[in-house]
Amino acid sequence: MKDLVYLVPLFPLIGFLINGLLWKSMPKKVSGLLASLAMLASFAVSLGIFFEVKNNPAAGGVVHLFDFIHSGTLHIPFAFQVDALSSLFLLIITGVGFLIHVYSTSYMHDDPGFTKYFAYLNFFVFSMLLLVLGANYVIMFIGWEGVGLASYLLIGFWYKRKDYTNASKKAFIMNRIGDLGFLVGMFLTLYHFGTASYGELFPQLTSGLPDGVSGNTMNAIAICFFIGAMGKSAQIPLYTWLPDAMAGPTPVSALIHAATMVTAGIYMIARSSAIYNLAPVAQSLVAVIGLATALFAASIALKQYDIKKVLAYSTVSQLGYMFLALGVGAYTSAVFHVMTHAFFKALLFLGSGSVIHAMGGEQDLRFMGGLGKKMRITQITFLLGCLAIAGIPGFSGFFSKDEILAAAYAKNPVYYYLGLLGALMTAFYMFRLYFYTFTGSFRGTHEQEHHLHESPAAMTIPLILLAVLAVVGGYVGLPEVFSEHHLLNEYLAPVVQNFDVHHLSHETEWMLMGLSVGLIVVMIVLAYARTKKPAFKENTGIAKVLENKWYVDELYDNVIVKPLKSIALVLDKYAERSGIDGVVNGVGRLVSWGSNRMRLLQNGQVGTYIFAMVIGIVLLLAVGLLIVG
């Protein structure tokens, strides 16, 4: 199966090309079916690769397709890395991606850009597959840029609304800032190690710092790569694009937040764990930024009323937990949370899409309520997603979140208590969202209430499947207090292992789990009490600050955007129009003026031409005499 790995990205690429080239003439049913079948085919091949690697880790390796760059001693092949880490991500991307494609066939059915939408969706998945399969940083970067382009196209899919196109530009530009860090890190790697291929780079780092490479150099490389991850995975200060990405269709939000793009940064650092193990300063920075982002985003979600914005800030917060895990050396814990988060966050976004579909496009929680009476499948599946993300025992999020918190406690108890605070806020805002949406009485218009209905099977079946995964997905990572074998750790061990993570006693683990679960239940009860009799008053004080997202967008606008815009206007007026354009246009006007004068010499009179010839001969004789003299 390993040699067939090229088929995994090839199938969605074919779907993209066919739907993209024939988007004006392709029937809707055919385009949706083609895109979904492409994803299903990729998932089938990914499944075969996963089990092959699981049963025999030695079956993995590098699949060389062709030479991409070969100049002197620099050799960068177009090759795919097949191992435990990449095969796990293949399953997540293609499996969740397939369900989102099926869901989209119903959700986007009436959209005039239906076929174009599926072309973009296939391209998005193709780019993400290229990113995780690349056997070197160059191929990873090609996929890295591809998902940036695809997100731009999909976030601004409804391009007739200016605020949507602004959101797409914001995502594109902010990611370019992070991408510069990735590029610098890659060039530093090439300069100091002479290679960008994992198979040649990482063996040099297994026994410590190589000769001629200092700790400062390793920290610089690791920090540059982390800057790239901050952009793609929406960490402070490059996080503000992700909530605005809600401008795109809801299935796009699910794809970005669950299976693609935002997980790219976590994958890249987990893949580069050998670098970060030798860069303690960078590793600590990853942990601190991740923890700060988790808390900051969670606080904003407490006072949001747009159903998708709550989930968006939840994603930013959960990504912060993944970076916290990476920063304390718990790489497999971060990958574990990537997997469980993909299940319950895709479920929650698609569930919100089902609600928005039933509400005729309404996204404000203040105009919902009591939807569970008309949408039982959506309500139950959404509740399971909330239980999973809140960390209730038995659900997937409990195992991955508590594993991260335990690793943080072992590293530094302060990390644990701050991380626990973020988890408590998560439980509160998610159940605030659930109770506002599905319980109580309906607060919308009579017309909206009249049209409330459960979504069609193409939307509810993916919800049910994701709900099952959100419940059972965590059992591959049972902690030692429950099981002797951590299946995911054992599976990933040949590729990536935790670094400098201290094991806690079983008594300590039980205490930490009991503390977190008890407080989370209290937060759920508080959320219920707060939403039982909703009184939507205008927020004041700190609540107003949270509702306005700590005014970070306004800060960026005043400190960065407006000054740069003023500088651009000055440069446009003086450097561009008066300077560059003035010189270019001045040369053109000079040539035009000269040619207008020169043409007067051509008047058609023979006498004038003879006179000019005589004058010319006299001038030539004069010049000759001067030279001779």
Side-chain angles (χ1 to χ4, degrees), residues 305-624:
Y305 294 102
D306 185 314
I307 186 171
K308 289 175 66 176
K309 283 289 179 71
V310 176
L311 296 177
Y313 281 106
S314 169
T315 298
V316 177
S317 181
Q318 295 303 307
L319 290 169
Y321 280 104
M322 297 172 204
F323 279 104
L324 171 62
L326 295 170
V328 299
Y331 301 110
T332 57
S333 303
V335 174
F336 186 19
H337 201 55
V338 167
M339 183 187 74
T340 60
H341 180 263
F343 299 150
F344 59 68
K345 188 50 62 72
L347 169 62
L348 291 168
F349 263 110
L350 296 186
S352 72
S354 181
V355 169
I356 295 167
H357 180 265
M359 292 287 295
E362 180 62 66
Q363 297 182 196
D364 196 320
L365 299 175
R366 290 168 289 194
F367 299 102
M368 298 181 186
L371 300 189
K373 300 170 186 175
K374 299 288 183 70
M375 307 176 69
R376 295 298 296 171
I377 295 176
T378 300
Q379 180 196 20
I380 294 170
T381 54
F382 201 93
L383 175 60
L384 294 175
C386 289
L387 292 169
I389 193 173
I392 296 299
F395 294 84
S396 60
F398 164 75
F399 299 107
S400 57
K401 175 187 66 67
D402 269 53
E403 188 172 300
I404 292 173
L405 291 177
Y409 184 87
K411 191 76 170 182
N412 187 338
V414 175
Y415 287 169
Y416 169 80
Y417 290 114
L418 291 175
L420 178 59
L421 175 61
L424 299 181
M425 287 192 284
T426 300
F428 181 85
Y429 66 66
M430 284 308 306
F431 276 90
R432 167 182 175 269
L433 168 62
Y434 171 79
F435 291 132
Y436 271 150
T437 305
F438 294 102
T439 65
S441 57
F442 187 71
R443 297 181 296 274
T445 65
H446 177 73
E447 184 180 357
Q448 287 175 324
E449 186 174 19
H450 178 72
H451 288 93
L452 285 177
H453 61 281
E454 185 58 272
S455 298
M459 293 171 66
T460 55
I461 291 175
L463 291 178
I464 294 169
L465 294 175
L466 286 168
V468 172
L469 291 172
V471 174
V472 305
Y475 288 90
V476 299
L478 289 175
E480 291 184 1
V481 295
F482 295 124
S483 171
E484 294 182 3
H485 299 284
H486 192 298
L487 299 179
L488 189 62
N489 277 349
E490 293 176 359
Y491 176 70
L492 292 173
V495 183
V496 58
Q497 298 180 11
N498 290 339
F499 175 76
D500 194 29
V501 175
H502 304 290
H503 295 286
L504 302 173
S505 66
H506 290 348
E507 292 78 9
T508 303
E509 284 197 59
W510 280 114
M511 180 194 72
L512 295 178
M513 283 190 287
L515 177 63
S516 64
V517 171
L519 292 176
I520 284 169
V521 171
V522 171
M523 298 308 291
I524 294 173
V525 173
L526 288 176
Y528 176 74
R530 175 66 185 85
T531 57
K532 189 175 182 181
K533 294 181 180 179
F536 297 106
K537 300 176 182 179
E538 184 176 353
N539 288 317
T540 58
I542 186 63
K544 185 71 172 178
V545 174
L546 296 180
E547 184 182 358
N548 287 282
K549 303 162 287 186
W550 292 97
Y551 296 100
V552 173
D553 282 299
E554 290 79 2
L555 176 66
Y556 285 179
D557 193 49
N558 286 291
V559 174
I560 299 173
V561 177
K562 288 181 179 177
L564 286 177
K565 188 175 181 180
S566 299
I567 294 171
L569 290 172
V570 171
L571 291 174
D572 177 63
K573 182 177 180 180
Y574 295 105
E576 179 72 19
R577 298 178 187 272
S578 301
I580 298 172
D581 285 355
V583 171
V584 173
N585 293 335
V587 171
R589 285 193 292 268
L590 178 62
V591 171
S592 178
W593 178 86
S595 63
N596 282 331
R597 298 303 178 272
M598 289 293 290
R599 72 180 178 82
L600 297 177
L601 298 175
Q602 302 293 328
N603 57 14
Q605 296 181 10
V606 177
T608 303
Y609 298 156
I610 294 174
F611 176 74
M613 184 175 65
V614 171
I615 295 298
I617 292 171
V618 171
L619 289 174
L620 288 173
L621 286 173
V623 171

Side-chain angles (χ1 to χ4, degrees), residues 216-240:
N216 289 336
T217 298
M218 294 305 298
N219 279 307
I221 292 172
I223 289 172
C224 286
F225 278 135
F226 178 50
I227 292 171
M230 287 164 65
K232 275 291 179 289
S233 299
Q235 298 297 285
I236 291 174
L238 302 178
Y239 73 94
T240 57

Side-chain angles (χ1 to χ4, degrees), residues 83 88 108 205 231 277 297 423 601:
D83 55 27
L88 178 64
M108 298 293 290
L205 307 176
N277 291 343
L601 298 175

Side-chain angles (χ1 to χ4, degrees), residues 63-69 75-80 136 139 142:
V63 178
H64 184 279
L65 300 179
F66 56 87
D67 285 342
F68 184 56
I69 299 174
H75 180 217
I76 299 174
F78 198 101
F80 290 156
N136 55 69
I139 306 305
I142 295 172

Side-chain angles (χ1 to χ4, degrees), residues 167-211:
S168 66
K169 288 188 289 185
K170 183 176 183 179
F172 191 80
I173 293 168
M174 292 198 78
N175 272 276
R176 297 293 75 70
I177 297 170
D179 294 350
L180 177 60
F182 187 113
L183 273 175
V184 173
M186 184 166 60
F187 289 145
L188 286 173
T189 303
L190 285 167
Y191 177 78
H192 288 283
F193 298 97
T195 182
S197 297
Y198 312 143
E200 297 174 2
L201 171 62
F202 298 150
Q204 299 182 46
L205 307 176
T206 53
S207 57
L209 288 171
D211 293 337

Side-chain angles (χ1 to χ4, degrees), residues 56-196:
N56 180 19
V62 176
V63 178
H64 184 279
L65 300 179
F66 56 87
D67 285 342
F68 184 56
I69 299 174
H70 200 169
S71 177
T73 59
L74 179 63
H75 180 217
I76 299 174
F78 198 101
F80 290 156
Q81 184 81 31
V82 179
D83 55 27
L85 185 62
S86 60
S87 60
L88 178 64
F89 270 82
L90 291 186
L91 273 190
I92 295 170
I93 295 164
T94 58
V96 176
F98 168 66
L99 295 177
I100 292 172
H101 274 67
V102 173
Y103 181 98
S104 296
T105 58
S106 178
Y107 189 87
M108 298 293 290
H109 185 265
D110 296 326
D111 196 283
F114 185 88
T115 303
K116 183 170 64 174
Y117 166 84
F118 275 100
Y120 292 164
L121 218 57
N122 272 177
F123 176 67
F124 203 161
V125 174
F126 161 74
S127 299
M128 189 64 193
L129 291 170
L130 199 62
L131 188 155
V132 300
L133 279 174
N136 55 69
Y137 287 113
V138 175
I139 306 305
M140 178 191 281
F141 188 71
I142 295 172
W144 192 273
E145 292 302 291
V147 293
L149 172 60
S151 67
Y152 167 78
L153 295 172
L154 285 166
I155 293 169
F157 182 74
W158 289 317
Y159 59 88
K160 292 184 179 180
R161 286 190 54 171
K162 189 175 180 180
D163 54 335
Y164 287 7
T165 57
N166 286 340
S168 66
K169 288 188 289 185
K170 183 176 183 179
F172 191 80
I173 293 168
M174 292 198 78
N175 272 276
R176 297 293 75 70
I177 297 170
D179 294 350
L180 177 60
F182 187 113
L183 273 175
V184 173
M186 184 166 60
F187 289 145
L188 286 173
T189 303
L190 285 167
Y191 177 78
H192 288 283
F193 298 97
T195 182

